[in-house]
Amino acid sequence: MLEKVKELLQEVANFVPKSEKETEEFRLNFLGKKGEMNALFAAFKTVPNESKKEFGQAINTLKQNAQAKVDEYKGSFETEEKGEEIDLSRPVSLDNLGSRHPISLVRNQIVDIFNRIGFTVSEGPEIEDDWHNFSALNLPEEHPARDMQDTFFIQTNPDVLLRTHTSSVQVRYMEGNQPPIRTLSPGRVYRNEAISARAHCIFHQVEGLYIDENVSFADLKQALLYFAKEMFGEKTKIRLRPSYFPFTEPSAEVDVSCNICNSKGCNVCKYTGYLEILGCGMVDLNVLENCGIDSKKYTGYAFGMGIERIAMLKYGVKDLRLFFENDVRFLKQFDKSI
Ligand code: PHE
């Protein structure tokens, strides 16, 4: 009998509950009505007199130790369980989730639209060299058009700069791939401009490039019309105006019909009925040759647009700086609209 008490003492000493439930089971097992303690106290009567003292002390110690264990652990699991098992399959509360940034949403939308006509995404470094940002794109040193893109140079080395457009990614892509090429280059670009409601020193672009045999200006126009309708609505019209870029010839600037006033003229479109959205053109033969593509066999078109500008036009946002302030009250509005 004394042996049994010693075993139980050991058991109590070793017991470490993992939950409220285990603690309660332990309590019932030792201290409950039908528990070990009551059984031992009942058995006490049958113990021979000479052993009563030793046995009595042992079971009193056992009871105290068991009670001490229960006191130690009871209630310590309450916050985790409240008497229930944790339900791991329960959906999490969505209350505090953030929302996607409107620039990411519009970027994804542009990528998705061009994906559907076979364009895939390519990416490249934001810190570029002169060749990929300028020279390969038919902008040799001292070319006056370099001034169009106020460039951030890194330290004093004019060969290292922050890319001013993602055309640099297209150069890299052409260097590594032969036509047919159909690639879209989204990414962050940098220009040394004063920050205002319409300009920022950091912004985002998506540029597209399509090179194959017999690619024509008509293909470019059709792809852009498709894009404009997908982005701004079925009724959208586009207008191409002649322009100049060193890397394309001929070049054009593309406007979409103003969807705020239905092209009737308002202060957003400055009473012209149209809004400028991107630059484009047929890839200059020099650019193809610079990138190792046979300009006698292949032709191509390219276009480039600012994501902030598209987002501003689509959602009537009047100040570009809002995209960089990260005020959640502003950002949350776009979440469900796309
Ligand atoms: N890279 C030009 C820019 O950033 C945009 C452009 C791309 C124009 C391709 C024509 C063709 O201004």
Side-chain angles (χ1 to χ4, degrees), residues 100-107 307 311 315 323 330-331 334 338:
R100 273 197 203 284
H101 196 284
I103 295 302
S104 303
L105 292 170
V106 173
R107 171 202 182 274
I307 303 180
Y315 299 111
F323 292 119
F330 171 72
L331 299 178
F334 303 89
I338 296 184

Side-chain angles (χ1 to χ4, degrees), residues 109-119 182 226 230:
Q109 220 186 350
I110 298 169
V111 168
D112 184 54
I113 291 169
F114 282 103
N115 266 344
R116 278 181 254 145
I117 53 170
F119 284 79
R182 221 179 287 189
Y226 156 76
E230 291 293 307

Side-chain angles (χ1 to χ4, degrees), residues 15-202:
F15 177 71
V16 182
K18 289 191 201 63
S19 63
E20 195 68 28
K21 200 170 146 207
E22 277 183 29
T23 316
E24 181 60 8
E25 275 167 13
F26 173 87
R27 190 188 69 78
L28 289 173
N29 193 24
F30 279 90
L31 306 164
K33 254 192 191 158
K34 293 183 187 149
E36 299 282 0
M37 287 323 304
N38 276 351
L40 287 170
F41 282 120
F44 185 68
K45 292 182 210 116
T46 65
V47 173
N49 274 349
E50 64 273 21
S51 313
K52 268 202 163 71
K53 190 174 173 210
E54 198 187 354
F55 186 74
Q57 277 173 351
I59 55 175
N60 273 333
T61 312
L62 179 63
K63 187 179 176 192
Q64 280 164 13
N65 289 2
Q67 187 62 53
K69 266 282 151 130
V70 172
D71 293 344
E72 185 181 349
Y73 287 103
K74 195 170 165 51
S76 65
F77 300 99
E78 232 160 39
T79 45
E80 282 164 44
E81 298 192 11
K82 301 226 165 69
E84 291 272 35
E85 294 276 316
I86 300 170
D87 180 1
L88 294 174
S89 65
R90 208 177 119 192
V92 291
S93 153
L94 298 176
D95 293 353
N96 294 325
L97 267 190
S99 53
R100 273 197 203 284
H101 196 284
I103 295 302
S104 303
L105 292 170
V106 173
R107 171 202 182 274
N108 291 348
Q109 220 186 350
I110 298 169
V111 168
D112 184 54
I113 291 169
F114 282 103
N115 266 344
R116 278 181 254 145
I117 53 170
F119 284 79
T120 50
V121 168
S122 54
E123 283 176 341
E126 291 178 21
I127 300 173
E128 262 301 0
D129 51 34
D130 183 283
W131 171 255
H132 291 97
N133 198 78
F134 289 127
S135 298
L137 289 160
N138 209 25
L139 272 152
E141 238 174 278
E142 313 302 335
H143 193 295
R146 285 195 179 202
D147 292 347
M148 279 161 67
Q149 313 206 332
D150 309 279
T151 312
F152 284 116
F153 292 96
I154 290 182
Q155 293 183 334
T156 46
N157 183 351
D159 193 38
V160 186
L161 47 89
L162 294 177
R163 68 182 179 194
T164 57
H165 49 187
T166 55
S167 303
S168 56
V169 182
Q170 306 185 328
V171 172
R172 288 177 180 276
Y173 195 85
M174 284 188 277
E175 285 173 342
N177 298 275
Q178 280 297 309
I181 286 173
R182 221 179 287 189
T183 181
L184 210 58
S185 314
R188 196 159 30 194
V189 298
Y190 303 83
R191 289 188 199 176
N192 189 2
E193 292 196 35
I195 297 170
S196 71
R198 295 172 58 88
H200 208 288
C201 55
I202 303 174

Side-chain angles (χ1 to χ4, degrees), residues 149 164-165 167 191 205 207 245 247-248 279-281 302-304:
Q149 313 206 332
T164 57
H165 49 187
S167 303
R191 289 188 199 176
Q205 275 193 329
E207 297 220 354
F245 297 103
F247 26 87
T248 46
C280 65
F303 58 85

